[in-house]
Amino acid sequence: KGKISFEIYPDTREYADEALYKTNLGALGNGAASRLYSANIASVIDTHFRWMAEYGIDGVALQRFLTDAGNAQIYGKMAQVIENVGAASEKYGRIFYLCYDISGAADKGFYDKFVKDFDSIRDKLLSYDSYLYQNGKPVIEVWGLGVNGNCRASAAEGAKAVQYLRDLGFYVIGGTPTNWRSESGDA
C-alpha cells in the first residue's frame, strides 16, 4: 500500500508544459522533477490521437468507470475527456467507442446509477461522426461483468444493464473474466 511503480515511466517530452503536473514521486534519472499529464487536457488527447494517426492505429475504447459517476469533481473531468476524445478523433480521422467499466459497482442501486449516468452522456457520445458503429449500431462495451471480488453487481443486474443498451439499439460487447463460464478462479 502506498507504493507506485512504473514498468516504463512515460516519455512526456511531446506534451505542452501546461499539460504536465508535478508529482510527489522522486526525481527522474536526469535529476528533473517527475511530472505526469492529465487526460482532461485537450492538448494531451490531441497528442495521443495524432500519434494514432501517425502509427496507423484506428481508434480507442474510451474507458469510463461507473464508480466515479457519483463524484461531482471527477464527473466534470470525465465529461471533458469525452469532449477531448470526440474532437481529436474527428480531427485525426480516428474512431472511438465507450468501454463502460462496472467493476467495483455495488449491487444495490447499480442499474439505476448505470442508466442515469449513461443517459447523461449518450447524446454527447453519439453526436460525434467518429463514434464507432457495427452493423449500423453504435458500439459500447460493458466491462467487469462477473469479475470476482470487484463487481458486486449481480448477474441479473448486469444482464438488465446489457438489455437496456440493446433496447436502445447498441451493439454490446461484454468484458468478462477468463473463467466466466465455470464461475471459478477470477469469476
Side-chain angles (χ1 to χ4, degrees), residues 5 22 36 69 110 113 126 129 132-133 136 143 146 149 183:
S5 67
K22 191 171 188 281
L36 296 171
F110 159 76
K113 184 176 181 179
L126 300 181
D129 291 336
L132 180 64
Y133 281 72
W143 191 93
E183 295 183 3

Side-chain angles (χ1 to χ4, degrees), residues 9-10 13 16 27 38 40 43 45 56 62 79 89 94 102 106 108 124 127 131 146-147 149 168 186:
Y9 194 87
R13 291 177 291 182
S38 172
N40 66 328
S43 67
I45 301 302
L62 174 59
S89 64
R94 308 292 95 187
I102 64 167
K108 184 176 170 116
K124 177 46 96 180
S127 72
Y131 196 84
V147 175
L168 289 173
D186 60 349

Side-chain angles (χ1 to χ4, degrees), residues 48-71:
H48 292 170
F49 276 84
R50 178 176 51 83
W51 288 340
M52 286 190 283
E54 288 173 4
Y55 295 102
I57 299 170
D58 295 328
V60 297
L62 174 59
Q63 194 169 19
R64 183 177 180 90
F65 294 90
L66 183 60
T67 54
D68 292 338
N71 182 324

Side-chain angles (χ1 to χ4, degrees), residues 4 6 8-12 15-25 28 33-39 41 44:
I4 297 174
F6 292 89
I8 299 174
Y9 194 87
D11 182 349
T12 59
Y15 297 111
D17 194 53
E18 62 273 7
L20 297 172
Y21 295 89
K22 191 171 188 281
T23 72
N24 289 327
L25 300 173
L28 299 177
S34 61
R35 300 185 329 151
L36 296 171
Y37 63 84
S38 172
I41 296 180
V44 170

